[in-house]
Every structure is written in C-alpha cells, then in structure tokens.
Amino acid sequence: MIYVFLAEGCEEIEALTPVDCLRRAGKQVITVGVGSKVITGSHGISITADMTENEVQLNDSLEMVVLPGGMPGTLHLGESEAVKSAVMYAFSHDRFVTAICAAPSVLGDMGLLKGKKAVCYPGFETRMTGCISADQSAVRDGKIITGKGPGAAMDFSLLLVEALCGSEKKEQLAASMVYHS
C-alpha cells in the first residue's frame, strides 16, 4: 500500500501523476487528505481523497509514502503530525519515503536527508539539511526518492514505479504512455 498525502495548496500534477502511474503499474495507492477529504490544489483543482489523515493506519502493508509539493501544500504537510508519523514509520521500517518540489524540505527538516543525494524546487536547498545536491530531475538514494518540480512529475513517478516494480515495468509503462525521457 502507498499513501499519497494531499494538502490544501498542493501542486496537482505532482500529486496525481504518481497516483496515476503507480495505479497503472498495479499498485494499491490511497490518497490521504490532510485536514479535509476534499483538497483544493494550488491551481484551483479540487481533489477528493480516499481518506483523511485521521484514518491512516501504519503497518507492514505500507510500501511507500509520497509527498507532493506546491505552496502552501508543503507547509501543511510539514505541520501534520499524521504526515510526520507516516514518514518516520516508513523511514524506520526501511520503506520508501518520497517527495517532490518543495516537499523534500519536509524530509530535510526531519533530518532524513543527511548524506543522501536529493533534489528540490530551486530556492528550497537551505531546507535540505545535510543532503548531497544532485543535478537530475528525480533521484533515488536508497529508500529516499526526490523530484525537482512540476516538470519532473513524470520522471519522479516512473522512478517510484521502478523502485517498487522494477525497470522492466517502468519501461513498459513509459512506452504505453508514449513517454520518452
């Protein structure tokens, strides 16, 4: 199971591209509304989440946590105890912890990027405490996966698919979606 946390003011393309790609790859993805079940993104698109943050259950079925960026969505993610608990559970149980755009700053603030290669939206580097800055649209370092911004949503999402399903599945999915990096 994969939790994708959605907060008011999230970047819609960064929230829904991972959901779409991971579901196409056959993974169980649950969208989680932070503060409400209906979330309005930074561009006025309303998204109805599968559940609210109060319904999150942390157990062995959790494979990955996904944090989309956007403002003020990232701020709301960083303020949510449920988000931080899910991230720490995944991190301490050797599950994937992923974030894109401004959201890697949440991981940086939690001290999870020390010594890890990571990327973020330009201007958030100061919040990436101890990371090794990479020059890629999306990067994986162990169980941490980060993406640079909205334009990197597909690269980031395919990297999530590769991490959970392998490179062959990633390539099949990219080809079926007529995506060429």
Side-chain angles (χ1 to χ4, degrees):
M1 168 186 46
I2 300 157
Y3 283 137
V4 178
F5 286 92
L6 308 174
E8 198 73 18
C10 67
E11 183 69 49
E12 295 93 340
I13 194 169
E14 297 167 1
L16 296 178
T17 305
V19 172
D20 182 280
C21 288
L22 289 162
R23 285 185 179 170
R24 286 176 192 249
K27 301 308 288 181
Q28 180 188 11
V29 180
I30 299 171
T31 56
V32 181
V34 174
S36 175
K37 194 163 181 174
V38 178
I39 300 298
T40 302
S42 60
H43 297 92
I45 301 170
S46 294
I47 306 164
T48 302
D50 298 318
M51 67 170 57
T52 65
E53 63 189 316
N54 299 329
E55 299 171 84
V56 168
Q57 294 183 1
L58 302 175
N59 56 48
D60 286 344
S61 66
L62 182 66
E63 294 180 86
M64 178 181 281
V65 171
V66 181
L67 304 181
M71 285 305 231
T74 296
L75 298 176
H76 298 309
L77 293 175
E79 294 166 351
S80 168
E81 290 305 317
V83 169
K84 291 189 276 190
S85 292
V87 166
M88 284 310 298
Y89 180 90
F91 185 80
S92 65
H93 287 82
D94 200 32
R95 310 297 161 77
F96 287 99
V97 177
T98 75
I100 183 169
C101 193
S105 67
V106 174
L107 307 182
D109 290 346
M110 294 175 72
L112 304 181
L113 298 179
K114 291 179 181 157
K116 299 281 188 184
K117 285 192 291 185
V119 295
C120 65
Y121 191 80
F124 282 84
E125 295 85 358
T126 59
R127 304 258 314 274
M128 305 282 285
T129 310
C131 88
I132 302 162
S133 186
D135 187 22
Q136 297 167 251
S137 61
V139 63
R140 175 181 174 185
D141 189 336
K143 298 286 181 145
I144 303 282
I145 301 172
T146 53
K148 207 162 219 173
M154 185 60 91
D155 290 339
F156 174 73
S157 299
L158 289 173
L159 195 53
L160 304 184
V161 169
E162 182 178 47
L164 293 173
C165 305
S167 57
E168 186 175 327
K169 185 68 168 181
K170 171 194 166 190
E171 296 305 321
Q172 289 171 348
L173 183 60
S176 74
M177 296 173 74
V178 194
Y179 177 77
H180 307 284
S181 56

